[in-house]
């Protein structure tokens, strides 16, 4: 039996004004709502009232806004269930009358709780927000248009990291969908490289965004504009397309399908391989630091690691095979590692799926070139397309095992599949990615001995 609070949440998710809010915000709103009932002809809001009580959401019945003279009967001034009116939306002054034209039931969000209507990113920001939460911040520019940023300490290799595109695109799409519908599949295409150079962008805009959104970050790359197309909204499913643009060009496209939770058949054929627990494995950052100082590794490679290594990733990674390729010798076209987000995340399932989408592209493309590595070769894989299927609820701040295998490489492209398991051994995500394999042959110093 549904509680009154859960019923209120289901109602609020259908209110257009609230589609931009997270599930945690809706739950907070549902807990403080006040039921208000009116008879036909009652004034709900009067323009002569000095103070409004708050924001009203119509639950049952109809109301009419007494608009300008001569337009009182215009259909645009009639309000029905899921419509809203009152203080906190268009400012503190509400200079119109709203009258019940039938028996009317409203849910009132009082003035002292109207701050809950403030637009939030897909995860709530506070002074302790993590790097991942800041990366996933989507600045709303219009109903279906959002602006994302590449932070100075976000993962990048001279271009916008592919996982950032997937995660931010999914975050933008999620903000246009009823929160009870969660992404169950996505298909992404990387069209052009994203620019991380802010020299050609309006410096004032960068400084403003840095000051308002990210406080401590003083340098930002060119923003990415995410435009969401609402392809379908059904009772149980919703479909979105997201186009990411930068400098007037479309550089990334994502299709995502969302589903309301439904009961059905449940079975599992894919088994999680037996691996050492993550707590017993060396963290990736510690492993890289060891490589920088390991004198059994050639100096030029140690210098290469030291040059490329910047700050720790926002994802904690523990390789199941600690002796994984040093990128200078061949290795199997498969990889297994545990990962989780650094820090604790909220209970918003949409956030956890965005975080997993971000983490899914960190090393996926590289395994396609691993069987072909040789001394002097520099392979730079580029993601072409990326697909994910979410099977079960998950937590990105708890350990997940990522098992990936490269199936084939041909015609300069490699195809890899992946599976993610939770610690219970349940398959939570399936993945596929195709990558373009580029080989750049460089001359290395002659080293007959290891230093």
């Amino acid at each position: 039996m549904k509680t009154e609070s859960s019923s209120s949440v289901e109602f609020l998710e259908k209110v257009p004004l609230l589609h931009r809010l997270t599930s945690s915000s809706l739950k907070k709103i549902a807990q403080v709502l006040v039921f208000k009932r009116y008879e036909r002809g009652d004034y709900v809001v009067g323009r002569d009232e000095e103070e409004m009580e708050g924001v009203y959401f119509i639950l049952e019945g109809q109301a009419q806004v007494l608009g300008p003279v001569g337009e009182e009967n215009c259909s645009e001034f009639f309000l029905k269930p899921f419509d809203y009116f009152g203080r906190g939306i268009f400012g503190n002054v509400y200079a119109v009358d709203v009258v019940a034209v039938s028996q009317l039931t409203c849910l009132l969000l009082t003035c002292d709780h109207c701050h809950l209507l403030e637009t939030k990113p897909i995860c709530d920001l506070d002074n302790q927000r993590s790097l991942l939460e800041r990366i996933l911040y989507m600045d709303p520019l219009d109903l279906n248009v959002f602006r994302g940023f590449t932070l100075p300490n976000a993962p990048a290799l001279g271009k916008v990291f592919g996982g950032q595109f997937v995660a931010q695109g999914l975050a933008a799409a999620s903000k246009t969908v009823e929160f009870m519908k969660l992404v169950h599949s996505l298909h992404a295409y990387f069209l052009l490289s994203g620019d991380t150079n802010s020299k050609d962008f309006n410096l004032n805009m960068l400084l403003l965004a840095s000051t308002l959104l990210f406080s401590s970050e003083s340098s930002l790359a060119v923003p990415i504009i995410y435009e969401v197309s609402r392809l379908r909204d059904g009772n149980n499913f919703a479909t979105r397309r997201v186009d990411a643009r930068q400098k007037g060009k479309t550089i990334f496209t994502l299709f995502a399908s969302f589903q309301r939770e439904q009961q059905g058949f449940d079975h599992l054929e894919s088994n999680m391989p037996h691996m050492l627990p993550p707590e017993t494995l060396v963290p990736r950052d510690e492993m890289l630091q060891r490589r920088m100082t390991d004198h059994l590794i050639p100096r030029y490679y140690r210098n290469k690691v030291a040059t490329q290594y910047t700050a720790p990733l926002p994802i904690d990674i523990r390789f199941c095979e600690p002796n994984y390729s040093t990128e200078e010798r061949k290795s199997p076209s498969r990889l297994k590692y545990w990962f989780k987000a650094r820090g604790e995340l909220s209970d918003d399932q949409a956030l956890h799926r965005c975080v997993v989408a971000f983490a899914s592209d960190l090393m996926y493309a590289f395994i396609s070139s691993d069987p072909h590595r040789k001394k002097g070769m520099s392979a730079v894989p580029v993601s072409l397309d990326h697909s994910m299927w979410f099977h079960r609820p998950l937590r990105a701040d708890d350990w997940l095992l990522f098992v990936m295998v490269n199936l084939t490489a041909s015609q300069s492209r490699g195809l890899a599949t992946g599976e993610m398991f939770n610690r219970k051994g349940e398959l939570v995500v399936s993945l596929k990615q195709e990558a373009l394999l580029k080989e750049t042959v460089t001359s290395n110093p002659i080293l007959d001995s290891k230093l």
Side-chain angles (χ1 to χ4, degrees):
M1 183 176 185
K2 294 181 180 179
T3 65
E4 186 175 283
S5 178
S6 63
S7 298
S8 297
V9 170
E10 290 188 17
F11 168 80
L12 293 174
E13 63 158 301
K14 298 179 181 178
V15 177
L17 175 70
L18 306 181
H19 284 178
R20 58 202 169 96
L21 301 181
T22 64
S23 59
S24 58
S25 294
L26 292 182
K27 290 177 182 177
K28 292 177 182 177
I29 292 174
Q31 292 173 356
V32 296
L33 289 174
V34 178
F35 280 83
K36 304 283 285 188
R37 304 186 189 277
Y38 304 89
E39 297 297 325
R40 180 180 179 183
D42 287 349
Y43 273 72
V44 184
V45 172
R47 72 180 70 193
D48 296 328
E49 295 181 24
E50 294 183 1
E51 287 190 359
M52 302 299 106
E53 290 188 87
V55 180
Y56 298 78
F57 304 101
I58 297 182
L59 182 63
E60 294 178 342
Q62 285 189 323
Q64 181 182 6
V65 176
L66 300 183
V69 177
E71 295 187 2
E72 284 83 354
N73 294 323
C74 178
S75 61
E76 294 180 2
F77 290 94
F78 281 91
L79 304 175
K80 57 186 184 301
F82 310 118
D83 285 335
Y84 47 89
F85 57 91
R87 182 183 176 188
I89 304 173
F90 307 109
N92 290 340
V93 179
Y94 199 89
V96 296
D97 298 324
V98 178
V99 179
V101 295
S102 68
Q103 286 190 334
L104 183 69
T105 303
C106 295
L107 298 177
L108 171 64
L109 182 67
T110 57
C111 292
D112 53 339
H113 295 296
C114 282
H115 64 277
L116 296 175
L117 294 176
E118 295 175 2
T119 302
K120 300 288 185 181
I122 195 166
C123 48
D124 295 334
L125 295 179
D126 55 37
N127 293 331
Q128 304 300 320
R129 60 188 182 273
S130 67
L131 175 58
L132 264 175
E133 291 174 325
R134 286 177 280 149
I135 291 173
L136 288 174
Y137 179 89
M138 302 305 295
D139 184 23
L141 301 181
D142 204 341
L143 182 64
N144 300 311
V145 182
F146 304 87
R147 179 170 53 193
F149 297 89
T150 303
L151 305 187
N153 50 351
L157 293 173
K159 58 185 179 181
V160 178
F161 166 55
Q164 175 181 317
F165 277 129
V166 180
Q168 289 184 338
L170 179 57
S174 298
K175 294 173 81 67
T176 69
V177 177
E178 300 170 11
F179 88 92
M180 295 188 72
K181 293 176 183 174
L182 295 171
V183 62
H184 70 88
S185 69
L186 65 84
H187 304 274
Y189 295 88
F190 303 91
L191 307 179
L192 295 170
S193 297
D195 192 356
T196 59
N197 187 349
S198 62
K199 291 182 180 179
D200 297 329
F201 191 70
N202 187 308
L203 181 60
N204 291 331
M205 178 63 73
L206 293 178
L207 293 177
L208 176 63
S210 176
T211 301
L212 296 180
L213 303 179
F214 307 107
S215 64
S216 62
E217 282 78 15
S218 58
S219 175
L220 296 171
V222 183
I224 305 169
I225 304 301
Y226 294 88
E227 184 172 351
V228 182
S229 299
R230 302 176 185 236
L231 302 183
R232 178 175 183 258
D233 281 296
N235 291 330
N236 295 311
F237 287 87
T239 309
R240 297 291 186 265
R241 169 178 171 164
V242 183
D243 293 311
R245 296 186 175 89
Q246 199 177 54
K247 297 182 178 180
K249 295 181 180 179
T250 302
I251 58 178
F252 171 81
T253 295
L254 177 142
F255 292 88
S257 181
F258 299 78
Q259 181 189 18
R260 185 188 298 270
E261 183 179 0
Q262 293 177 285
Q263 298 299 317
F265 299 113
D266 193 343
H267 75 276
L268 181 62
E269 294 292 337
S270 185
N271 297 318
M272 182 177 74
H274 177 70
M275 292 288 135
L276 292 174
E279 294 83 1
T280 65
L281 303 176
V282 178
R284 169 187 174 272
D285 296 304
E286 182 180 337
M287 182 188 71
L288 289 177
Q289 290 179 4
R290 289 182 183 180
R291 288 184 177 182
M292 284 185 252
T293 58
D294 186 353
H295 289 272
L296 295 178
I297 296 177
R299 178 183 296 169
Y300 71 86
Y301 179 70
R302 301 202 319 261
N303 292 338
K304 177 181 177 181
V305 174
T307 301
Q308 293 181 348
Y309 180 79
T310 53
L313 293 174
I315 303 292
D316 189 354
I317 292 176
R318 309 286 177 93
F319 291 106
C320 297
E321 293 93 1
N323 294 323
Y324 179 67
S325 170
T326 62
E327 300 182 5
E328 300 297 325
R329 60 175 181 265
K330 294 182 181 181
S331 61
S333 57
R334 59 186 70 244
L335 182 62
K336 305 181 188 70
Y337 63 78
W338 294 95
F339 76 94
K340 70 172 182 176
R342 297 187 186 276
E344 185 176 350
L345 303 175
S346 71
D347 292 332
D348 190 348
Q349 184 62 202
L351 166 63
H352 288 265
R353 299 191 183 201
C354 287
V355 171
V356 167
F358 176 90
S360 66
D361 191 42
L362 282 171
M363 301 178 190
Y364 207 178
F366 286 91
I367 63 170
S368 296
S369 59
D370 284 344
H372 309 282
R373 294 190 183 279
K374 59 185 177 181
K375 188 175 181 179
M377 185 192 82
S378 177
V380 184
V382 178
S383 301
L384 294 175
D385 57 69
H386 190 89
S387 299
M388 302 180 69
W389 293 265
F390 297 84
H391 308 301
R392 293 170 176 83
L394 54 84
R395 289 201 65 93
D397 54 1
D398 194 7
W399 290 108
L400 298 171
L401 179 65
F402 194 175
V403 179
M404 57 186 79
V405 179
N406 172 247
L407 298 180
T408 184
S410 178
Q411 301 295 313
S412 76
R413 303 187 313 276
L415 179 66
T417 63
E419 294 178 320
M420 294 181 181
F421 300 87
N422 60 21
R423 299 197 68 162
K424 297 179 182 178
E426 298 172 324
L427 179 66
V428 293
V429 183
S430 296
L431 310 91
K432 280 192 176 181
Q433 184 184 88
E434 189 175 43
L436 178 66
L437 307 179
K438 295 182 179 181
E439 177 182 354
T440 302
V441 179
T442 59
S443 59
N444 288 322
I446 299 175
L447 289 175
D448 294 328
S449 62
K450 294 182 180 181
L451 300 180

